[in-house]
Amino acid sequence: MSEKDLQNSPDGSINNNGIDVKSASHPNPTGIPDHRQEYARELAAMSPEEYLAFEKKVLRKMDLNIIPWITLLYLLSFLDRVNVGAARLVGMLTELQLNSLQYSNISMIFFVSYVAFEVPSNLVLKKFKPSRWIPFTMVVWGIFQTCMGTVNTYGQLLALRFCLGIFEAGLFPGLNFFLTGWYRREELNRRVSIFFAGAVLAGAFGGIFGYAIAQMGGVGGYSGWRWIFIIEGLLTIVIAIASIWMVHDWPDQAKFLTPLERECVLTRLRKEQGLAGEGTLNRKVVKQAFLDPKMWLLMLCYIGAAEPLYSGALFSPSIVAALGTFSATTSLLLSTPPYVLTFIATLGTAWVSDKYKRRGIFNMFWSVIAMIGYILLIAIPTQYAGARYFAVFLTVMSTGPLIACTISWTGNTWVAHYTKAICMGMVFSAGNSGGIVASQAYRDADAPRFIPGHATALGFLAMHFTTSAILWWMFARENKRRDEQYGPPPSQHEVHDFMDADNIRRYGLEGMSREDLINLGDKHPAYRYVL
């Protein structure tokens, strides 16, 4: 911490490690001692070297206890929503006598309920423990997934896919929101990308897994495509039950951390987010969220990346099959390599993005690469199967970094807890509407070139590039304005006391209540947007 930072704490409440001892103390009407202040003093007593080593240890402990399991959960979630693509290739359409339009409706109906329930589920997650809400939703959707293997009519499958969407809606936005309550902004993209790699792995190995399960055809009198739904549904239920113990709650309740480690996590978040964890859900907060243009721009940005993602996930086996005279088995296996490259691109981009604290430039770069891929798919004649397969690599590879960067950018943009929950839920709802579009864009009648589907994805990517550029310009302009008007923001080692009288005068916030200061969120003059 610089000498200037130390001067900001004349009463000595903030030490060289940026620990604000006073902020850890809260009035307790029961008279029971609040030990958080004691732990804050213990952190403050550490030398800078000791504190950094302890912080690194806590961060590593968080990563090991949180990231691997939620990666597994999202892998199962993504696999359960897109395995209908594998079932399509191994006899589902023939046995249920489904036409191309009916299959598109089956793919689409999941996203209708999924989109409708994302925001409510995010708010429920805030109210209830993640270790209870997330396993509950998984058990229910696992039951619906398993039942899909027993259907005999189009209507039954349609109804079960709709119900699947209701309960899967809580996982993806919930986990992203959950991570913002544990990690600082510059740490988020790497963690989001690792957990999003679950979707990439589902795309990479879902085809192989589906092929392997389909070999069970005839067991118990069931066709192979039915076993895909049954096995994957039962697997989800088993993992959901284990999640009661493996999914952790918010930092102040986490059982895998010691009390001192919990205080360290909370201190790290207070340094960056100030009053972010406080506040209540009310009409003013909801109105403020829905009147924020950043939310609407990020909604368009995210759907611009999500539509191509679902196009690849739902239809890449069919697109690969149309490249040549491949069997269903070969098509499933050939759809795997592009996702392996996506995994590498996603994690590599995340590392560089966090290192330089940039999101928009990577969105613009990868959207251009993806657009090139779709242009090649539209332009190259069908006889050049190798060149078209290369184009599939470009389109699939780009969606991973686009989704991960946009998710992180969304989580980085808002501060106030309930505002963030609403805005992230809305952004993910809009994005997953891309699944509705993707499920209708690719039709058997358009094979083998699927030009309408490719052109649709190309248009969404152009929208993603445009909104990313607009957001980058808006954030850069606003950061520059605040720098010029108020001076540089607090350093990352400085605890910014939002209620300090000097700071209130500095930023011209006299007369505002604590609730008003909390509701300012990212509009607080001390806040700077991630570009």
Side-chain angles (χ1 to χ4, degrees):
M1 177 175 286
S2 68
E3 182 178 348
K4 178 183 176 182
D5 292 337
L6 290 173
Q7 291 171 351
N8 289 333
S9 182
D11 61 354
S13 63
I14 301 176
N15 86 320
N16 289 42
N17 299 325
I19 310 299
D20 186 351
V21 177
K22 291 200 303 182
S23 70
S25 178
H26 300 281
N28 191 336
T30 65
I32 299 174
D34 186 348
H35 294 292
R36 284 185 55 194
Q37 189 174 17
E38 178 184 333
Y39 298 129
R41 286 199 185 97
E42 189 172 344
L43 291 173
M46 295 179 182
S47 68
E49 294 76 17
E50 290 173 332
Y51 179 75
L52 288 175
F54 184 73
E55 185 181 33
K56 185 176 180 181
K57 173 189 170 184
V58 172
L59 190 61
R60 184 167 58 249
K61 197 171 182 180
M62 287 161 52
D63 288 341
L64 291 175
N65 282 273
I66 294 173
I67 303 302
W69 195 259
I70 68 171
T71 299
L72 173 63
L73 299 189
Y74 189 55
L75 186 152
L76 291 172
S77 167
F78 199 81
L79 201 62
D80 285 349
R81 81 182 65 168
V82 302
N83 56 14
V84 68
R88 177 191 191 189
L89 288 182
V90 291
M92 182 183 73
L93 299 188
T94 302
E95 186 170 336
L96 295 182
Q97 299 181 338
L98 303 177
N99 56 40
S100 176
L101 177 60
Q102 288 174 320
Y103 173 76
S104 294
N105 291 338
I106 289 167
S107 300
M108 176 192 70
I109 197 67
F110 166 89
F111 296 100
V112 173
S113 55
Y114 190 98
V115 166
F117 284 89
E118 278 187 291
V119 174
S121 184
N122 239 16
L123 295 175
V124 170
L125 180 67
K126 173 61 182 169
K127 288 287 186 182
F128 295 96
K129 289 184 176 182
S131 62
R132 296 296 178 264
W133 177 245
I134 289 174
F136 167 73
T137 61
M138 290 185 67
V139 167
V140 178
W141 99 55
I143 293 171
F144 287 127
Q145 178 74 207
T146 304
C147 291
M148 284 167 59
T150 66
V151 301
N152 294 305
T153 67
Y154 165 66
Q156 291 171 348
L157 186 56
L158 200 67
L160 287 173
R161 285 279 294 178
F162 181 85
C163 294
L164 185 71
I166 293 175
F167 289 93
E168 271 206 43
L171 190 76
F172 185 57
L175 291 181
N176 280 285
F177 177 53
F178 174 73
L179 287 179
T180 66
W182 279 89
Y183 292 97
R184 288 166 26 169
R185 293 195 295 170
E186 71 272 13
E187 300 163 346
L188 194 60
N189 199 11
R190 276 169 287 180
R191 277 77 186 181
V192 167
S193 295
I194 291 171
F195 121 67
F196 180 72
V200 175
L201 289 174
F205 299 105
I208 297 175
F209 191 40
Y211 164 72
I213 296 176
Q215 304 312 301
M216 294 177 62
V219 176
Y222 285 136
S223 305
W225 68 266
R226 293 182 181 276
W227 282 112
I228 292 176
F229 294 132
I230 294 170
I231 295 297
E232 292 181 5
L234 292 175
L235 180 61
T236 296
I237 294 171
V238 171
I239 297 300
I241 294 172
S243 294
I244 296 173
W245 295 275
M246 296 300 294
V247 171
H248 302 286
D249 295 315
W250 303 107
D252 59 336
Q253 303 168 325
K255 295 178 180 179
F256 72 91
L257 296 175
T258 67
L260 183 61
E261 290 169 341
R262 286 198 291 268
E263 185 58 34
C264 180
V265 176
L266 295 172
T267 295
R268 298 174 80 250
L269 296 175
R270 279 199 302 272
K271 287 181 185 180
E272 180 181 71
Q273 300 177 8
L275 304 176
E278 300 186 31
T280 57
L281 178 63
N282 53 49
R283 186 177 299 177
K284 183 177 180 180
V285 170
V286 174
K287 181 179 178 181
Q288 181 173 290
F290 277 85
L291 292 179
D292 192 338
K294 300 188 297 296
M295 184 185 80
W296 299 100
L297 283 168
L298 277 163
M299 287 168 66
L300 294 174
C301 186
Y302 191 62
I303 192 175
E307 196 280 342
L309 170 75
Y310 286 118
S311 292
L314 291 169
F315 295 97
S316 58
S318 298
I319 294 170
V320 170
L323 297 177
T325 55
F326 301 129
S327 66
T329 300
T330 304
S331 298
L332 287 172
L333 297 179
L334 284 176
S335 65
T336 296
Y339 285 97
V340 176
L341 187 58
T342 306
F343 178 82
I344 298 171
T346 301
L347 295 186
T349 301
W351 186 85
V352 179
S353 174
D354 273 356
K355 180 178 180 180
Y356 294 102
K357 300 180 184 178
R358 294 290 184 270
R359 308 288 186 244
I361 189 68
F362 294 101
N363 271 357
M364 289 182 271
F365 171 79
W366 283 112
S367 58
V368 168
I369 299 299
M371 284 191 282
I372 291 172
Y374 278 108
I375 290 171
L376 292 176
L377 282 172
I378 292 170
I380 296 175
T382 55
Q383 60 263 36
Y384 299 104
R388 290 174 63 80
Y389 189 45
F390 170 73
V392 170
F393 270 85
L394 293 183
T395 59
V396 173
M397 174 184 69
S398 303
T399 55
L402 286 178
I403 292 290
C405 273
T406 306
I407 290 171
S408 298
W409 212 6
T410 301
N412 291 163
T413 296
W414 289 282
V415 178
H417 217 56
Y418 281 105
T419 302
K420 182 186 291 187
I422 294 169
C423 290
M424 290 187 76
M426 287 296 295
V427 169
F428 292 136
S429 292
N432 287 300
S433 299
I436 299 175
V437 179
S439 61
Q440 298 295 319
Y442 286 87
R443 302 170 298 181
D444 288 345
D446 300 321
R449 299 188 68 182
F450 295 105
I451 289 178
H454 297 330
T456 301
L458 180 62
F460 274 88
L461 285 162
M463 180 172 67
H464 178 85
F465 178 90
T466 303
T467 51
S468 293
I470 293 172
L471 284 162
W472 180 89
W473 174 78
M474 283 176 55
F475 292 161
R477 185 184 65 169
E478 181 59 19
N479 286 352
K480 182 180 178 181
R481 184 193 69 80
R482 293 181 187 182
D483 284 344
E484 291 174 348
Q485 184 172 348
Y486 303 105
S491 71
Q492 74 173 57
H493 298 295
E494 179 184 348
V495 177
H496 179 79
D497 186 354
F498 281 74
M499 297 305 296
D500 180 76
D502 290 337
N503 280 327
I504 289 176
R505 282 193 297 271
R506 174 186 175 186
Y507 296 117
L509 304 176
E510 295 93 338
M512 296 186 70
S513 66
R514 185 181 185 87
E515 183 180 356
D516 289 335
L517 289 172
I518 292 169
N519 289 335
L520 277 177
D522 60 285
K523 295 179 175 62
H524 195 286
Y527 184 83
R528 296 296 182 273
Y529 294 102
V530 172
L531 303 180

